[in-house]
Structure formats: C-alpha cells, structure tokens
Amino acid sequence: MKRDSAEQKTEHTKREQGAIKGKYEKITSGIQKHMARTASAVDRISVRKMTVCAVVLFAVSVLPLLLLGRYNVMCIDDYNYGRQVHDTWMATGSLWQSILTALRQTGEFFVNWQGTYVSCFLMAVCPMNFWYKAAFLVPIVMIGMFAGGTFVLGRQILTKWLGSDAKRASLVMFLLLFMFYQVMEAPFEGIYWYNGATHYILMESLFFIMLTLVSGILWTEKKGAAAWRCAAAVLLGVIVGGGNLVTALQAEILLTLLLLFAFIKKRQKAFLVLLPFLSFTAGFLCNILAPGNAMRASIDTDVGYSPVMAVLLSFYYAVVFTISWTDTFVIIIWLALLPVFWRIGKKSEMRFAHPVWVTAGAFCLLSAMFTPTLYAVGMAGLSRVDNIIQMVYYLCLFFVTVYWFGWLGHRNGSGAFRESDAHSAGAYLGMFLERAGNRMTAACVLLVLLIWTLTADKNTYTGISALRSLTNGDAAVYYEEAMERHALYVDDTVTKVMIEPFSARPALFDFEDLSTDAGNWLNLAVADYYGKDWVKLSEGDSGTGE
C-alpha cells in the first residue's frame, strides 16, 4: 500500500511538472511569436512613417522650450546695446527714428569698439526696446531660424552631395535636431538671450541658408533658379560677413572650397558662385579691418595667443570638446541612425573615393571654429560660441559616417558585397546593419526616450528641464518677480532702485543677475537704460540664483 501511494505521488508530481512545463513552453512560444510579429511589423514601417514620428518627437521636445519663452525677459548686454534706441523710442515713439539711431550707434561701434556691423545693428534694435514683453519672441525666432537653417543645409548635403533620398535625409535631420536641442551646450545663451543668440545662433543660421543657396547653384539645372539663388546668396554674404568671426571664418573656408569645386567640376556655374564669395569676403574684410577692433584691443585686458599657437591649440580643443559632446544620448541617437546611414551610403550613386581626406577636412573645419577666440582672448569654451560649434560637430559626425558607409558599400564597384568580401570587417558590419534595419533604429530611439524622460536629474536635458520649470511654478514666480522689478525701473518717481533677489528661477535661465554693488557693470547698464541714479540688489542675497 505504501509503495502504491509513493508511486501515485511520483506520478502526480510528474503530471504537475509536465503541466508546468507545458504552460512555460506555451508562454515562451507566445512571447516568441509576439516578438516575431512585432519585429516583422517594425521591419515593415516605411521611411515616411519613421520620418513623421521623428517630426513629432522633435516638435514635442522643443514645445516646452517655446512655452518657457513666455516667461523670458531682457537681460545682460541687451541693456548696453539697446539703450540708445530705447531712449529714442521713448522720446519720439517713431520706429524710423529708432532705426536711424541704431544705424548711428552701429557706426560708432564700428569706429570705437567692434566691426561686426550687422550683429551690432540687430542687437541695437532689440524687440524689448519697443515692448518689454516681446521677449517671448526670442526663442521662437532663434529655434525657428537655427533649426530651419540646419535642416535645409543638412538635407541638401545628404541628398545632393551624398546621394540620399529626401525621406531618409529628413529622418536624419529631425533626429539630429531633437538630439541637439536636448544636449545643447548653453541653452539660455542660444535660445533665450537676445543679444548672445543674435550674434551667434542667428548669424550661423543665415550662413547655413546662404551655404544652401550657393550649393543649390551647383546642382540646379534651371538658369532662373540658379540666378535667384545667386542674388539671395549675395545679399546674405554681406550680412554674414558682418557677423561674428567664428561663423565668418567658417564661411570663408567653405565658400572657398565651393568656389574651387565650381571651377574644377562645374565651370559654367563658377561665376554665380564667385559673386556670393566676393560679397561675403568684402563684408568679412570690412568687419575685421574696422578701426574699432584695434581700439578695443588696445584697452582690452584679455591677451590672445599668436596666430600659429591659436591654430595648433584649435586642434587640441577640437578633440577635447568633441569628446565632451559625445555623451550617451548622442551615441545612442548615432547608433539608431547607423542602419539609415548604411542604406544611404550603399544605395547612393555618388563616388566615395576619399574617406580619409573628407574626415580630415571635417576635423580641420571644426578645429578652425576654435581659432578666433583663442587668437582674440586666449581661451576656448565660450558657451554662446560653443552652441554653433557643437551643431557643426554633429553635422560633421553624421555626414562623415554616411561617407564612410558609402565607401564601404562601393569598394567592389557595386552596391552590394560579394561572397569573396564576406571575411572583411566592413562586410560583417554591412550585413549586420542590413539585418538589424528598423529594429535597431526603433530599439535605440526607445532607449533614448527612456533615458530622456527617466533621468534622475530633470535638468539634464533641456526639454525636460523646461517642462519641470513650467509645472513646478518656478517660471511663473520668476516672471512675476521680474515684472515687479520692471515696474520699479519704469517708475519715474523712483530714482534709486533697490530690488530683491529672485526667489525662484528656471534652471535654463542661468544668466548673471544684478549685484549688491551698484558699480557692477550690469547694474550700471540697467541704471543707464532706465535713467536711474543707481540700481542694486538688496544685501540679503548675492542674487546669483540657482
């Protein structure tokens, strides 16, 4: 009886184990089938749908940045450069008289301070001179211009110079823009601060548009289209030549290369490329030879490096900064786009004969952008300058990757690897990217979204930081207190203004606040702008904010 009972128990245990094993196998099989169906569905997603998703992702990521602009106010050099125009506007209420004042001030600056004639004019006509609450327009203009200029230039390079189709090029550019605006080196100085963003972000945007036009001259077959592109590029050449010297040096290099290309490969278009080159070069020479530059240098305490040392150090800093800008977020976006890069390079009909030279050229161009500040003030790392260099680095990174993949995909003179090539590392990489395809892109984008939304420090990425400041009330409190300050500034009965430090401030608004010292340069700028005897922060706090 005991033996029968033991056998029955053993048999029962076996049946239970069999049932559990069957359920496990059923569940595992179900999961495998579901994953297979999901992978198959992901593989069938069209490039068009992926591009639409990238557009939505970019729009969602910058929306908080634009909404935060509702709480933006003028600050720092906005007061110094805008004072004369503000005085004219308050005295006359005439826009024309205000513009004439801005032109006179630009002439004075050209002779006594700096040669950047276009930037100086634009900074003088700061919108807040005419309507203090107009600061919400600044992020709209800066994001709109820079994102737009970057998109059209990048899309043209991918389609015309690297042979991509338009949809894949758009997908690449929208993911790049999403990535850039989340890891932007100095978001306040590149999005919200009118003076700083105008001098660098806006001028770089105009250069990107100009470069797109000049490049378009080389590729269009229509004479009328080439002519209007030339005319627009000539006008922009004069404007860009009067901007910051980092953009200007970059422009001189790239326009020279395009002109050489035109003379060698498309001689019938050379004259139309020469005209924008000459208009820009004339503006650039006018900029750097301005009397104000020498006068400023004679009183400026900053000492720059010699030309040779500035160039040599530029290569060093290019390495240092590109390493710091290649963080986990950037690497994952780059990985997400590798299958796209591979398909662009492999299917392209372009020749990819010189990957080493192209890579070296991109690095030299990037390095050259560090040279002006090293030569002028002996330093690199000016955050408002770094914004534009950072974007150029990401563009170079993506385009050089496409070029190398194009070289790998065309090594045997065809668009596909032969069996005899299967032992090479490039072949293995190509076959892996062919198989991974959309699945790799989708997985990496999903991982980026998790990192973006779940990172412990909510101020790590700009979109999340802006959203945090909007939802926790910091932005509203800051704006209310800023307007209380402004009410004191415009009160004619108050000539000595004591202000309280901000009790809250959005993390992205990381600018220098006024000091407890009425003789501080920023305090003096605000006092002069509003016609006060003095303005200073109360002694209770340093006023440095977050």
Side-chain angles (χ1 to χ4, degrees):
M1 294 293 293
K2 289 182 179 181
R3 186 166 57 251
D4 291 343
S5 178
E7 290 176 354
Q8 290 174 356
K9 187 174 182 180
T10 301
E11 184 66 25
H12 179 69
T13 301
K14 288 181 179 180
R15 285 197 300 270
E16 286 184 342
Q17 290 176 344
I20 293 172
K21 182 178 180 182
K23 290 180 179 179
Y24 172 77
E25 290 176 348
K26 184 177 180 180
I27 293 172
T28 302
S29 176
I31 293 174
Q32 290 175 343
K33 289 180 180 179
H34 178 71
M35 292 180 65
R37 286 195 297 268
T38 302
S40 178
V42 171
D43 286 337
R44 290 195 302 271
I45 297 176
S46 66
V47 178
R48 180 179 178 277
K49 290 181 179 178
M50 293 173 66
T51 304
V52 170
C53 291
V55 172
V56 172
L57 178 60
F58 169 66
V60 169
S61 69
V62 298
L63 181 60
L65 300 176
L66 297 173
L67 293 176
L68 187 61
R70 158 69 177 79
Y71 304 99
N72 192 29
V73 294
M74 69 186 301
C75 62
I76 322 177
D77 276 347
D78 294 345
Y79 295 107
N80 276 329
Y81 282 82
R83 180 181 60 80
Q84 291 187 37
V85 172
H86 177 257
D87 289 346
T88 299
W89 174 253
M90 295 302 294
T92 68
S94 169
L95 182 60
W96 175 244
Q97 290 298 322
S98 299
I99 291 174
L100 290 178
T101 298
L103 290 172
R104 285 194 296 270
Q105 177 178 300
T106 300
E108 293 170 1
F109 275 40
F110 189 83
V111 174
N112 300 314
W113 189 245
Q114 64 187 100
T116 54
Y117 53 90
V118 173
S119 289
C120 286
F121 174 77
L122 292 176
M123 291 186 288
V125 292
C126 172
M128 288 78 83
N129 292 333
F130 309 99
W131 181 37
Y132 185 74
K133 294 183 179 180
F136 76 92
L137 294 172
V138 178
I140 296 174
V141 172
M142 299 308 165
I143 292 178
M145 287 295 296
F146 197 60
T150 302
F151 179 83
V152 295
L153 175 62
R155 191 171 183 268
Q156 186 177 86
I157 292 174
L158 286 168
T159 55
K160 300 301 184 181
W161 294 89
L162 298 176
S164 171
D165 61 277
K167 292 177 182 176
R168 284 192 175 87
S170 297
L171 170 62
V172 169
M173 292 311 302
F174 277 114
L175 282 180
L176 183 150
L177 288 169
F178 160 69
M179 176 189 77
F180 170 75
Y181 274 104
Q182 297 313 302
V183 299
M184 192 175 186
E185 179 76 5
F188 175 75
E189 298 185 17
I191 298 176
Y192 301 103
W193 178 27
Y194 176 79
N195 187 291
T198 294
H199 194 35
Y200 291 99
I201 288 292
L202 184 59
M203 299 311 295
E204 186 78 5
S205 306
L206 295 175
F207 167 60
F208 282 171
I209 295 171
M210 178 191 177
L211 196 60
T212 305
L213 292 169
V214 176
S215 173
I217 293 171
L218 297 171
W219 292 103
T220 185
E221 298 298 329
K222 300 177 181 179
K223 292 184 178 180
W228 76 256
R229 284 182 172 90
C230 176
V234 167
L235 176 60
L236 286 175
V238 176
I239 295 173
V240 174
N244 73 81
L245 298 183
V246 176
T247 296
L249 179 59
Q250 175 196 189
E252 191 70 49
I253 294 170
L254 290 175
L255 291 174
T256 300
L257 292 175
L258 284 176
L259 184 60
L260 290 174
F261 178 85
F263 275 113
I264 296 171
K265 295 290 186 179
K266 295 180 180 285
R267 189 161 296 181
Q268 71 279 12
K269 302 286 185 68
F271 180 71
L272 294 178
V273 175
L274 176 63
L275 291 178
F277 171 82
L278 291 177
S279 73
F280 165 77
T281 302
F284 184 34
L285 289 174
C286 184
N287 185 344
I288 61 177
L289 296 177
N293 294 332
M295 185 170 293
R296 182 176 182 176
S298 66
I299 62 175
D300 202 332
T301 57
D302 294 319
V303 179
Y305 292 99
S306 68
V308 174
M309 183 58 67
V311 170
L312 293 176
L313 285 174
S314 296
F315 290 102
Y316 166 75
Y317 281 109
V319 174
V320 171
F321 278 88
T322 53
I323 291 174
S324 69
W325 290 331
T326 312
D327 60 10
T328 303
F329 197 91
V330 173
I331 291 172
I332 297 175
I333 289 290
W334 180 75
L335 290 173
L337 287 169
L338 286 186
V340 182
F341 293 154
W342 171 255
R343 287 168 183 168
I344 291 173
K346 182 181 176 182
K347 293 182 178 181
S348 174
E349 297 179 358
M350 302 295 177
R351 294 179 65 247
F352 299 92
H354 306 289
V356 174
W357 285 110
V358 169
T359 305
F363 179 69
C364 288
L365 173 67
L366 188 67
S367 300
M369 297 183 74
F370 289 95
T371 306
T373 54
L374 287 167
Y375 174 71
V377 296
M379 66 175 293
L382 295 172
S383 52
R384 57 188 178 276
V385 182
D386 291 344
N387 285 327
I388 60 176
I389 304 177
Q390 185 184 18
M391 174 55 89
V392 172
Y393 164 58
Y394 292 147
L395 288 170
C396 290
L397 174 65
F398 283 21
F399 297 156
V400 167
T401 303
V402 173
Y403 198 97
W404 274 98
F405 281 177
W407 176 77
L408 287 172
H410 293 75
R411 286 178 66 183
N412 60 10
S414 67
F417 286 107
R418 299 174 301 195
E419 291 297 325
S420 59
D421 299 319
H423 65 278
S424 69
Y428 283 121
L429 176 61
M431 289 186 290
F432 168 75
L433 293 176
E434 287 280 0
R435 294 186 183 124
N438 289 358
R439 280 173 280 179
M440 179 174 174
T441 300
C444 289
V445 170
L446 179 60
L447 180 57
V448 161
L449 292 178
L450 291 174
I451 293 173
W452 183 46
T453 56
L454 300 180
T455 298
D457 183 358
K458 299 306 179 185
N459 292 321
T460 301
Y461 303 112
T462 59
I464 302 300
S465 178
L467 183 62
R468 175 178 177 270
S469 296
L470 291 168
T471 56
N472 68 8
D474 283 353
V477 170
Y478 163 78
Y479 187 72
E480 181 181 354
E481 294 176 352
M483 295 307 294
E484 289 174 356
R485 289 186 179 189
H486 183 253
L488 292 174
Y489 296 154
V490 298
D491 188 343
D492 293 336
T493 64
V494 180
T495 59
K496 298 177 176 62
V497 183
M498 179 76 73
I499 59 174
E500 297 298 322
F502 291 115
S503 62
R505 188 162 68 176
L508 294 182
F509 290 3
D510 57 348
F511 59 89
E512 178 184 356
D513 197 6
L514 272 66
S515 168
T516 55
D517 176 13
N520 176 271
W521 73 271
L522 182 53
N523 294 54
L524 292 174
V526 174
D528 288 343
Y529 188 88
Y530 290 105
K532 303 300 180 183
D533 292 343
W534 52 257
V535 175
K536 66 179 181 178
L537 204 65
S538 66
E539 298 288 345
D541 196 283
S542 63
T544 56
E546 292 184 3

